[in-house]
Amino acid sequence: MKILLNNQMLYEAIGSLNSIGFVPTMGGIHKGHISLINKSKKNCKKTLVSIFINPKQFNNKNDFKKYPSNINKDLYLLKKTNKVDFVYIPEFKDIYKSKRKSEITIKKKDKILCAKFRKGHFEGVLDVMDKLTKLIKPNQIFMGEKDYQQLYLVKRFIEKKYKTKIITCKTIRAKNKYALSSRNFLLNKIKLNKAGKIAKLLINFKRNLIKKENIQQILSSKKLEIKKKYDVKIEYLEARREKDLSITNNIKKSRIFIAYYLDKVRLIDNF
Ligand code: AMP
């Protein structure tokens, strides 16, 4: 496993390769990331993992400062897989020429879910994915359904501009059903238990929606129930179609999306 600390090292290592699987991360490596690496290893000759906490996608300075980072532990976990050929850990200047905001914009109709609550977030995500794709020229990029809206927007953007394919990977959950996430490192056991209970509740809730119509009303009362029962602040709880994220009244080929705060930690999930 070669560690590439700048673009010179990156070019020298991967310049002549033609089957690269790319797993972009912000570090805080967990089994969700590892599942993406496993899929890359199956599909591609070489696997490159990046660790870059992209400041341009944080709409909140504190969130950026607090973002869990432990590079030595990450490198240990990546090496242990025996499946990673390269870890690219760029500095800001390897990715960006200036600190200015992203010039990429997203359409009004896409300003839903997280895009509505985190101004500039996806513009920052698309910008960094554009830069990384240009630098690495991967055949495939592996991304998780855990961040479904990100996957949807990045897939549309990257596949239109490059030959690179975005490969969708299932959400990996803990035993008690909360989705694995780097942000979970900021939560204690009691809080994670609560996240597990909310996840279980929503998994069952979705099952029970199958025969129902006009689910928007049912969602509103479920939102209130979760708020009261678990004392969490919910940003959104919505049902949307998988193919275009439009609002739906029928749960078929749709997902339930949630964003909520456990203490000051913002979690997202979908079912
Ligand atoms: P992050 O480091 O949080 O930016 O995530 C890097 C990639 O890992 C993204 O494509 C995420 O969607 C994916 N990912 C994060 N958590 C999970 C999970 N629990 N299961 C599957 N993929 C995940």
Short mmCIF file of all heavy atoms in Angstrom, two decimals, residues 80-138:
data_model
loop_
_atom_site.label_atom_id
_atom_site.label_comp_id
_atom_site.label_asym_id
_atom_site.label_seq_id
_atom_site.Cartn_x
_atom_site.Cartn_y
_atom_site.Cartn_z
N LYS A 80 -4.77 -3.17 6.69
CA LYS A 80 -5.24 -4.47 7.14
C LYS A 80 -6.14 -5.18 6.12
O LYS A 80 -6.25 -6.40 6.13
CB LYS A 80 -6.01 -4.27 8.46
CG LYS A 80 -5.72 -5.34 9.49
CD LYS A 80 -6.34 -5.04 10.83
CE LYS A 80 -7.82 -5.21 10.84
NZ LYS A 80 -8.44 -5.17 12.14
N THR A 81 -6.79 -4.42 5.26
CA THR A 81 -7.68 -5.04 4.27
C THR A 81 -6.88 -5.84 3.24
O THR A 81 -7.43 -6.74 2.60
CB THR A 81 -8.50 -3.99 3.48
OG1 THR A 81 -7.59 -3.18 2.72
CG2 THR A 81 -9.33 -3.11 4.37
N ASN A 82 -5.62 -5.44 3.03
CA ASN A 82 -4.79 -6.06 2.00
C ASN A 82 -5.36 -5.84 0.60
O ASN A 82 -5.07 -6.61 -0.31
CB ASN A 82 -4.69 -7.58 2.24
CG ASN A 82 -3.29 -7.95 2.65
OD1 ASN A 82 -2.34 -7.32 2.19
ND2 ASN A 82 -3.17 -8.93 3.50
N LYS A 83 -6.21 -4.86 0.44
CA LYS A 83 -6.89 -4.66 -0.84
C LYS A 83 -6.64 -3.26 -1.42
O LYS A 83 -7.10 -2.96 -2.52
CB LYS A 83 -8.40 -4.87 -0.66
CG LYS A 83 -8.74 -6.31 -0.38
CD LYS A 83 -10.21 -6.53 -0.22
CE LYS A 83 -10.47 -8.01 0.07
NZ LYS A 83 -11.84 -8.27 0.44
N VAL A 84 -5.96 -2.43 -0.65
CA VAL A 84 -5.76 -1.05 -1.10
C VAL A 84 -4.35 -0.92 -1.69
O VAL A 84 -3.37 -1.25 -1.03
CB VAL A 84 -5.94 -0.06 0.08
CG1 VAL A 84 -5.70 1.37 -0.37
CG2 VAL A 84 -7.32 -0.23 0.70
N ASP A 85 -4.27 -0.44 -2.94
CA ASP A 85 -2.95 -0.25 -3.55
C ASP A 85 -2.38 1.12 -3.24
O ASP A 85 -1.19 1.27 -3.02
CB ASP A 85 -3.07 -0.43 -5.07
CG ASP A 85 -3.54 -1.83 -5.41
OD1 ASP A 85 -2.70 -2.74 -5.35
OD2 ASP A 85 -4.74 -2.02 -5.68
N PHE A 86 -3.26 2.14 -3.23
CA PHE A 86 -2.79 3.51 -3.00
C PHE A 86 -3.73 4.26 -2.04
O PHE A 86 -4.95 4.11 -2.14
CB PHE A 86 -2.77 4.29 -4.31
CG PHE A 86 -2.01 3.61 -5.41
CD1 PHE A 86 -2.70 2.97 -6.44
CD2 PHE A 86 -0.62 3.59 -5.42
CE1 PHE A 86 -2.01 2.33 -7.47
CE2 PHE A 86 0.07 2.95 -6.44
CZ PHE A 86 -0.62 2.31 -7.45
N VAL A 87 -3.12 5.04 -1.16
CA VAL A 87 -3.91 5.98 -0.35
C VAL A 87 -3.42 7.38 -0.72
O VAL A 87 -2.23 7.69 -0.56
CB VAL A 87 -3.72 5.78 1.16
CG1 VAL A 87 -4.68 6.67 1.94
CG2 VAL A 87 -3.94 4.33 1.54
N TYR A 88 -4.31 8.17 -1.22
CA TYR A 88 -3.97 9.54 -1.65
C TYR A 88 -4.46 10.50 -0.57
O TYR A 88 -5.65 10.53 -0.26
CB TYR A 88 -4.65 9.78 -3.00
CG TYR A 88 -4.58 11.18 -3.56
CD1 TYR A 88 -3.38 11.88 -3.63
CD2 TYR A 88 -5.73 11.79 -4.07
CE1 TYR A 88 -3.34 13.15 -4.19
CE2 TYR A 88 -5.69 13.05 -4.62
CZ TYR A 88 -4.48 13.74 -4.68
OH TYR A 88 -4.45 15.00 -5.22
N ILE A 89 -3.50 11.23 0.03
CA ILE A 89 -3.85 12.16 1.11
C ILE A 89 -3.38 13.55 0.69
O ILE A 89 -2.29 14.01 1.09
CB ILE A 89 -3.18 11.75 2.45
CG1 ILE A 89 -3.36 10.24 2.71
CG2 ILE A 89 -3.74 12.57 3.62
CD1 ILE A 89 -2.61 9.72 3.92
N PRO A 90 -4.16 14.21 -0.16
CA PRO A 90 -3.69 15.50 -0.69
C PRO A 90 -3.79 16.61 0.34
O PRO A 90 -4.54 16.50 1.32
CB PRO A 90 -4.66 15.76 -1.85
CG PRO A 90 -5.91 15.06 -1.46
CD PRO A 90 -5.50 13.87 -0.64
N GLU A 91 -3.06 17.68 0.07
CA GLU A 91 -3.27 18.91 0.84
C GLU A 91 -4.22 19.79 0.05
O GLU A 91 -4.45 19.55 -1.14
CB GLU A 91 -1.93 19.63 1.01
CG GLU A 91 -1.05 18.97 2.04
CD GLU A 91 0.24 19.75 2.24
OE1 GLU A 91 0.19 21.00 2.23
OE2 GLU A 91 1.27 19.10 2.39
N PHE A 92 -4.71 20.83 0.70
CA PHE A 92 -5.66 21.75 0.06
C PHE A 92 -5.13 22.20 -1.31
O PHE A 92 -5.84 22.19 -2.30
CB PHE A 92 -5.89 22.95 1.00
CG PHE A 92 -6.93 23.90 0.51
CD1 PHE A 92 -8.27 23.71 0.81
CD2 PHE A 92 -6.56 25.00 -0.26
CE1 PHE A 92 -9.23 24.60 0.34
CE2 PHE A 92 -7.52 25.88 -0.74
CZ PHE A 92 -8.85 25.68 -0.42
N LYS A 93 -3.84 22.56 -1.34
CA LYS A 93 -3.28 23.13 -2.58
C LYS A 93 -3.16 22.10 -3.71
O LYS A 93 -3.01 22.47 -4.87
CB LYS A 93 -1.95 23.82 -2.31
CG LYS A 93 -0.82 22.91 -1.85
CD LYS A 93 0.44 23.75 -1.69
CE LYS A 93 1.69 22.99 -1.38
NZ LYS A 93 1.66 21.88 -0.45
N ASP A 94 -3.21 20.82 -3.38
CA ASP A 94 -3.19 19.81 -4.43
C ASP A 94 -4.53 19.74 -5.16
O ASP A 94 -4.61 19.29 -6.31
CB ASP A 94 -2.90 18.42 -3.83
CG ASP A 94 -1.48 18.32 -3.33
OD1 ASP A 94 -0.56 18.54 -4.12
OD2 ASP A 94 -1.30 18.06 -2.12
N ILE A 95 -5.56 20.19 -4.48
CA ILE A 95 -6.91 20.09 -5.06
C ILE A 95 -7.38 21.45 -5.61
O ILE A 95 -7.94 21.52 -6.69
CB ILE A 95 -7.92 19.60 -3.98
CG1 ILE A 95 -7.46 18.28 -3.35
CG2 ILE A 95 -9.33 19.46 -4.56
CD1 ILE A 95 -7.47 17.08 -4.26
N TYR A 96 -7.14 22.50 -4.83
CA TYR A 96 -7.70 23.81 -5.20
C TYR A 96 -6.62 24.85 -5.47
O TYR A 96 -5.57 24.86 -4.81
CB TYR A 96 -8.57 24.33 -4.05
CG TYR A 96 -9.77 23.46 -3.75
CD1 TYR A 96 -9.87 22.79 -2.53
CD2 TYR A 96 -10.80 23.32 -4.68
CE1 TYR A 96 -10.98 22.01 -2.24
CE2 TYR A 96 -11.90 22.53 -4.39
CZ TYR A 96 -11.99 21.88 -3.16
OH TYR A 96 -13.07 21.11 -2.88
N LYS A 97 -6.96 25.75 -6.39
CA LYS A 97 -6.05 26.87 -6.65
C LYS A 97 -6.37 28.05 -5.72
O LYS A 97 -5.52 28.87 -5.43
CB LYS A 97 -6.18 27.31 -8.11
CG LYS A 97 -5.58 26.31 -9.07
CD LYS A 97 -5.25 26.94 -10.41
CE LYS A 97 -4.71 25.91 -11.37
NZ LYS A 97 -5.80 25.06 -11.95
N SER A 98 -7.63 28.16 -5.31
CA SER A 98 -7.99 29.30 -4.46
C SER A 98 -9.02 28.88 -3.41
O SER A 98 -9.61 27.80 -3.51
CB SER A 98 -8.57 30.43 -5.30
OG SER A 98 -9.94 30.19 -5.52
N LYS A 99 -9.23 29.78 -2.44
CA LYS A 99 -10.19 29.47 -1.37
C LYS A 99 -11.61 29.88 -1.75
O LYS A 99 -12.54 29.73 -0.97
CB LYS A 99 -9.77 30.17 -0.08
CG LYS A 99 -8.58 29.48 0.55
CD LYS A 99 -8.42 29.83 2.01
CE LYS A 99 -7.38 28.91 2.61
NZ LYS A 99 -6.70 29.43 3.75
N ARG A 100 -11.74 30.44 -2.97
CA ARG A 100 -13.05 30.91 -3.39
C ARG A 100 -14.10 29.78 -3.42
O ARG A 100 -13.75 28.61 -3.57
CB ARG A 100 -12.96 31.53 -4.78
CG ARG A 100 -12.98 33.06 -4.70
CD ARG A 100 -12.94 33.65 -6.08
NE ARG A 100 -11.73 33.25 -6.78
CZ ARG A 100 -11.68 33.08 -8.10
NH1 ARG A 100 -12.77 33.21 -8.84
NH2 ARG A 100 -10.54 32.74 -8.68
N LYS A 101 -15.36 30.19 -3.33
CA LYS A 101 -16.44 29.19 -3.33
C LYS A 101 -16.50 28.48 -4.69
O LYS A 101 -16.06 29.02 -5.69
CB LYS A 101 -17.78 29.91 -3.08
CG LYS A 101 -18.15 29.95 -1.62
CD LYS A 101 -19.65 29.90 -1.42
CE LYS A 101 -20.26 31.23 -1.58
NZ LYS A 101 -21.57 31.52 -1.30
N SER A 102 -17.08 27.31 -4.68
CA SER A 102 -17.24 26.53 -5.91
C SER A 102 -18.01 27.31 -6.97
O SER A 102 -18.94 28.03 -6.67
CB SER A 102 -18.01 25.26 -5.57
OG SER A 102 -18.59 24.72 -6.71
N GLU A 103 -17.59 27.15 -8.23
CA GLU A 103 -18.34 27.81 -9.31
C GLU A 103 -19.46 26.90 -9.82
O GLU A 103 -20.28 27.30 -10.62
CB GLU A 103 -17.39 28.17 -10.46
CG GLU A 103 -16.72 29.50 -10.18
CD GLU A 103 -15.52 29.76 -11.06
OE1 GLU A 103 -15.40 29.14 -12.13
OE2 GLU A 103 -14.69 30.59 -10.65
N ILE A 104 -19.48 25.68 -9.32
CA ILE A 104 -20.53 24.74 -9.72
C ILE A 104 -21.81 25.11 -8.99
O ILE A 104 -21.80 25.43 -7.80
CB ILE A 104 -20.11 23.30 -9.38
CG1 ILE A 104 -18.92 22.90 -10.26
CG2 ILE A 104 -21.26 22.32 -9.52
CD1 ILE A 104 -18.24 21.63 -9.86
N THR A 105 -22.92 25.11 -9.73
CA THR A 105 -24.20 25.42 -9.07
C THR A 105 -25.13 24.21 -9.22
O THR A 105 -24.95 23.41 -10.14
CB THR A 105 -24.88 26.64 -9.71
OG1 THR A 105 -24.97 26.41 -11.11
CG2 THR A 105 -24.10 27.91 -9.43
N ILE A 106 -26.10 24.11 -8.31
CA ILE A 106 -27.11 23.06 -8.52
C ILE A 106 -28.46 23.72 -8.76
O ILE A 106 -28.72 24.82 -8.29
CB ILE A 106 -27.14 22.02 -7.37
CG1 ILE A 106 -27.56 22.64 -6.05
CG2 ILE A 106 -25.84 21.29 -7.22
CD1 ILE A 106 -27.83 21.60 -4.99
N LYS A 107 -29.28 23.02 -9.53
CA LYS A 107 -30.56 23.60 -9.96
C LYS A 107 -31.53 23.72 -8.79
O LYS A 107 -31.44 22.98 -7.81
CB LYS A 107 -31.19 22.70 -11.02
CG LYS A 107 -30.46 22.72 -12.31
CD LYS A 107 -31.33 22.06 -13.39
CE LYS A 107 -30.51 21.78 -14.62
NZ LYS A 107 -30.18 20.37 -14.77
N LYS A 108 -32.50 24.63 -8.96
CA LYS A 108 -33.49 24.87 -7.91
C LYS A 108 -34.23 23.59 -7.53
O LYS A 108 -34.47 23.32 -6.36
CB LYS A 108 -34.48 25.93 -8.39
CG LYS A 108 -35.14 26.69 -7.28
CD LYS A 108 -35.96 27.84 -7.80
CE LYS A 108 -36.94 28.27 -6.73
NZ LYS A 108 -38.04 29.04 -7.27
N LYS A 109 -34.54 22.80 -8.55
CA LYS A 109 -35.31 21.58 -8.26
C LYS A 109 -34.51 20.55 -7.43
O LYS A 109 -35.07 19.65 -6.83
CB LYS A 109 -35.90 20.97 -9.53
CG LYS A 109 -34.97 20.08 -10.32
CD LYS A 109 -35.79 19.37 -11.38
CE LYS A 109 -35.09 18.31 -12.17
NZ LYS A 109 -33.95 17.61 -11.67
N ASP A 110 -33.19 20.71 -7.42
CA ASP A 110 -32.35 19.80 -6.62
C ASP A 110 -32.11 20.32 -5.20
O ASP A 110 -31.47 19.65 -4.39
CB ASP A 110 -31.00 19.58 -7.31
CG ASP A 110 -31.16 18.75 -8.58
OD1 ASP A 110 -32.00 17.83 -8.57
OD2 ASP A 110 -30.47 19.03 -9.57
N LYS A 111 -32.59 21.51 -4.92
CA LYS A 111 -32.36 22.08 -3.57
C LYS A 111 -33.38 21.54 -2.58
O LYS A 111 -34.21 22.27 -2.04
CB LYS A 111 -32.35 23.61 -3.64
CG LYS A 111 -31.15 24.08 -4.43
CD LYS A 111 -30.80 25.52 -4.24
CE LYS A 111 -29.50 25.81 -4.96
NZ LYS A 111 -29.20 27.18 -5.19
N ILE A 112 -33.29 20.27 -2.36
CA ILE A 112 -34.21 19.54 -1.48
C ILE A 112 -33.37 18.79 -0.45
O ILE A 112 -32.15 18.74 -0.57
CB ILE A 112 -35.07 18.54 -2.30
CG1 ILE A 112 -34.12 17.65 -3.14
CG2 ILE A 112 -36.06 19.27 -3.18
CD1 ILE A 112 -34.79 16.47 -3.79
N LEU A 113 -34.04 18.17 0.51
CA LEU A 113 -33.35 17.34 1.52
C LEU A 113 -32.12 18.09 2.06
O LEU A 113 -32.23 19.23 2.49
CB LEU A 113 -33.00 15.97 0.93
CG LEU A 113 -34.19 15.15 0.38
CD1 LEU A 113 -33.69 13.92 -0.39
CD2 LEU A 113 -35.13 14.71 1.48
N CYS A 114 -30.94 17.46 2.01
CA CYS A 114 -29.74 18.10 2.60
C CYS A 114 -29.37 19.39 1.88
O CYS A 114 -28.82 20.31 2.49
CB CYS A 114 -28.55 17.15 2.55
SG CYS A 114 -28.67 15.81 3.76
N ALA A 115 -29.67 19.48 0.58
CA ALA A 115 -29.30 20.69 -0.17
C ALA A 115 -30.06 21.91 0.35
O ALA A 115 -29.58 23.04 0.29
CB ALA A 115 -29.58 20.50 -1.66
N LYS A 116 -31.24 21.66 0.91
CA LYS A 116 -32.05 22.75 1.44
C LYS A 116 -31.49 23.23 2.79
O LYS A 116 -31.52 24.41 3.11
CB LYS A 116 -33.48 22.22 1.61
CG LYS A 116 -34.48 23.24 2.02
CD LYS A 116 -35.87 22.65 1.88
CE LYS A 116 -36.82 23.28 2.86
NZ LYS A 116 -38.05 22.49 2.96
N PHE A 117 -30.97 22.30 3.56
CA PHE A 117 -30.54 22.62 4.92
C PHE A 117 -29.04 22.91 5.02
O PHE A 117 -28.60 23.49 6.00
CB PHE A 117 -30.91 21.48 5.88
CG PHE A 117 -32.38 21.40 6.12
CD1 PHE A 117 -33.18 20.57 5.35
CD2 PHE A 117 -32.98 22.19 7.09
CE1 PHE A 117 -34.56 20.51 5.56
CE2 PHE A 117 -34.33 22.13 7.32
CZ PHE A 117 -35.13 21.29 6.54
N ARG A 118 -28.26 22.46 4.05
CA ARG A 118 -26.80 22.71 4.09
C ARG A 118 -26.41 23.49 2.84
O ARG A 118 -25.98 22.93 1.83
CB ARG A 118 -26.03 21.38 4.14
CG ARG A 118 -26.33 20.54 5.36
CD ARG A 118 -25.41 19.34 5.40
NE ARG A 118 -24.03 19.71 5.68
CZ ARG A 118 -23.00 18.87 5.60
NH1 ARG A 118 -23.20 17.62 5.23
NH2 ARG A 118 -21.77 19.27 5.89
N LYS A 119 -26.53 24.81 2.95
CA LYS A 119 -26.29 25.68 1.78
C LYS A 119 -24.84 25.53 1.29
O LYS A 119 -23.90 25.65 2.07
CB LYS A 119 -26.56 27.14 2.15
CG LYS A 119 -28.00 27.41 2.53
CD LYS A 119 -28.72 28.24 1.50
CE LYS A 119 -30.22 28.06 1.47
NZ LYS A 119 -30.97 27.69 2.61
N GLY A 120 -24.68 25.26 0.01
CA GLY A 120 -23.35 25.16 -0.59
C GLY A 120 -22.70 23.79 -0.43
O GLY A 120 -21.64 23.55 -1.02
N HIS A 121 -23.32 22.91 0.33
CA HIS A 121 -22.71 21.61 0.60
C HIS A 121 -22.46 20.80 -0.68
O HIS A 121 -21.33 20.40 -0.98
CB HIS A 121 -23.59 20.83 1.57
CG HIS A 121 -23.21 19.39 1.71
ND1 HIS A 121 -21.99 18.99 2.22
CD2 HIS A 121 -23.86 18.24 1.38
CE1 HIS A 121 -21.93 17.67 2.21
NE2 HIS A 121 -23.03 17.19 1.70
N PHE A 122 -23.51 20.59 -1.46
CA PHE A 122 -23.34 19.73 -2.64
C PHE A 122 -22.53 20.42 -3.75
O PHE A 122 -21.87 19.75 -4.54
CB PHE A 122 -24.69 19.25 -3.17
CG PHE A 122 -25.31 18.20 -2.27
CD1 PHE A 122 -26.54 18.42 -1.67
CD2 PHE A 122 -24.65 17.01 -2.02
CE1 PHE A 122 -27.09 17.46 -0.83
CE2 PHE A 122 -25.19 16.05 -1.18
CZ PHE A 122 -26.43 16.28 -0.59
N GLU A 123 -22.58 21.76 -3.76
CA GLU A 123 -21.72 22.48 -4.71
C GLU A 123 -20.26 22.13 -4.39
O GLU A 123 -19.46 21.87 -5.28
CB GLU A 123 -21.95 23.99 -4.60
CG GLU A 123 -23.29 24.49 -5.12
CD GLU A 123 -24.44 24.37 -4.11
OE1 GLU A 123 -24.30 23.63 -3.10
OE2 GLU A 123 -25.48 25.01 -4.35
N GLY A 124 -19.94 22.09 -3.09
CA GLY A 124 -18.59 21.73 -2.64
C GLY A 124 -18.25 20.28 -2.94
O GLY A 124 -17.14 19.95 -3.34
N VAL A 125 -19.23 19.40 -2.76
CA VAL A 125 -19.02 17.97 -3.04
C VAL A 125 -18.76 17.77 -4.54
O VAL A 125 -17.81 17.06 -4.93
CB VAL A 125 -20.25 17.13 -2.60
CG1 VAL A 125 -20.14 15.70 -3.10
CG2 VAL A 125 -20.39 17.15 -1.09
N LEU A 126 -19.58 18.39 -5.38
CA LEU A 126 -19.42 18.21 -6.83
C LEU A 126 -18.08 18.79 -7.28
O LEU A 126 -17.41 18.22 -8.15
CB LEU A 126 -20.58 18.88 -7.59
CG LEU A 126 -21.94 18.22 -7.40
CD1 LEU A 126 -23.02 18.98 -8.16
CD2 LEU A 126 -21.94 16.77 -7.85
N ASP A 127 -17.71 19.91 -6.69
CA ASP A 127 -16.43 20.54 -7.04
C ASP A 127 -15.27 19.60 -6.73
O ASP A 127 -14.40 19.36 -7.58
CB ASP A 127 -16.30 21.84 -6.22
CG ASP A 127 -15.26 22.77 -6.81
OD1 ASP A 127 -14.70 22.43 -7.87
OD2 ASP A 127 -15.01 23.83 -6.22
N VAL A 128 -15.24 19.03 -5.52
CA VAL A 128 -14.10 18.18 -5.15
C VAL A 128 -14.12 16.89 -5.97
O VAL A 128 -13.08 16.38 -6.39
CB VAL A 128 -14.04 17.92 -3.62
CG1 VAL A 128 -15.05 16.89 -3.16
CG2 VAL A 128 -12.64 17.48 -3.21
N MET A 129 -15.31 16.35 -6.25
CA MET A 129 -15.38 15.12 -7.05
C MET A 129 -14.93 15.38 -8.49
O MET A 129 -14.31 14.52 -9.12
CB MET A 129 -16.81 14.55 -7.02
CG MET A 129 -17.19 13.92 -5.69
SD MET A 129 -16.04 12.64 -5.11
CE MET A 129 -16.23 11.42 -6.40
N ASP A 130 -15.23 16.57 -8.99
CA ASP A 130 -14.78 16.96 -10.32
C ASP A 130 -13.25 17.01 -10.34
O ASP A 130 -12.59 16.43 -11.22
CB ASP A 130 -15.38 18.34 -10.64
CG ASP A 130 -15.09 18.79 -12.05
OD1 ASP A 130 -14.97 17.92 -12.94
OD2 ASP A 130 -14.97 20.01 -12.29
N LYS A 131 -12.68 17.67 -9.34
CA LYS A 131 -11.21 17.82 -9.28
C LYS A 131 -10.54 16.45 -9.12
O LYS A 131 -9.57 16.13 -9.80
CB LYS A 131 -10.83 18.72 -8.08
CG LYS A 131 -11.45 20.12 -8.14
CD LYS A 131 -10.43 21.11 -8.59
CE LYS A 131 -10.89 22.47 -9.04
NZ LYS A 131 -12.08 23.11 -8.61
N LEU A 132 -11.06 15.64 -8.22
CA LEU A 132 -10.45 14.31 -7.96
C LEU A 132 -10.56 13.41 -9.19
O LEU A 132 -9.62 12.67 -9.52
CB LEU A 132 -11.13 13.64 -6.75
CG LEU A 132 -10.82 14.26 -5.39
CD1 LEU A 132 -11.76 13.73 -4.31
CD2 LEU A 132 -9.37 13.99 -4.98
N THR A 133 -11.68 13.47 -9.89
CA THR A 133 -11.86 12.63 -11.08
C THR A 133 -10.89 13.05 -12.18
O THR A 133 -10.30 12.21 -12.87
CB THR A 133 -13.32 12.70 -11.58
OG1 THR A 133 -14.17 12.40 -10.48
CG2 THR A 133 -13.60 11.72 -12.70
N LYS A 134 -10.71 14.36 -12.32
CA LYS A 134 -9.77 14.88 -13.32
C LYS A 134 -8.35 14.40 -13.01
O LYS A 134 -7.60 14.02 -13.88
CB LYS A 134 -9.84 16.41 -13.31
CG LYS A 134 -9.60 17.02 -14.68
CD LYS A 134 -9.74 18.53 -14.65
CE LYS A 134 -11.16 18.99 -14.88
NZ LYS A 134 -11.36 20.41 -14.66
N LEU A 135 -7.98 14.42 -11.73
CA LEU A 135 -6.62 14.04 -11.32
C LEU A 135 -6.38 12.54 -11.44
O LEU A 135 -5.33 12.10 -11.90
CB LEU A 135 -6.39 14.43 -9.85
CG LEU A 135 -6.11 15.90 -9.52
CD1 LEU A 135 -6.24 16.12 -8.02
CD2 LEU A 135 -4.71 16.28 -10.00
N ILE A 136 -7.36 11.74 -11.01
CA ILE A 136 -7.14 10.29 -10.85
C ILE A 136 -7.56 9.50 -12.10
O ILE A 136 -7.01 8.45 -12.38
CB ILE A 136 -7.88 9.79 -9.58
CG1 ILE A 136 -7.27 10.47 -8.35
CG2 ILE A 136 -7.83 8.27 -9.43
CD1 ILE A 136 -8.14 10.40 -7.10
N LYS A 137 -8.51 10.04 -12.84
CA LYS A 137 -9.06 9.37 -14.04
C LYS A 137 -9.41 7.91 -13.75
O LYS A 137 -8.94 6.98 -14.43
CB LYS A 137 -8.07 9.44 -15.20
CG LYS A 137 -7.72 10.86 -15.61
CD LYS A 137 -6.80 10.88 -16.81
CE LYS A 137 -6.45 12.28 -17.20
NZ LYS A 137 -5.66 13.02 -16.18
N PRO A 138 -10.24 7.68 -12.75
CA PRO A 138 -10.58 6.29 -12.42
C PRO A 138 -11.56 5.70 -13.43
O PRO A 138 -12.30 6.44 -14.08
CB PRO A 138 -11.26 6.42 -11.06
CG PRO A 138 -11.83 7.79 -11.05
CD PRO A 138 -10.95 8.65 -11.92
#
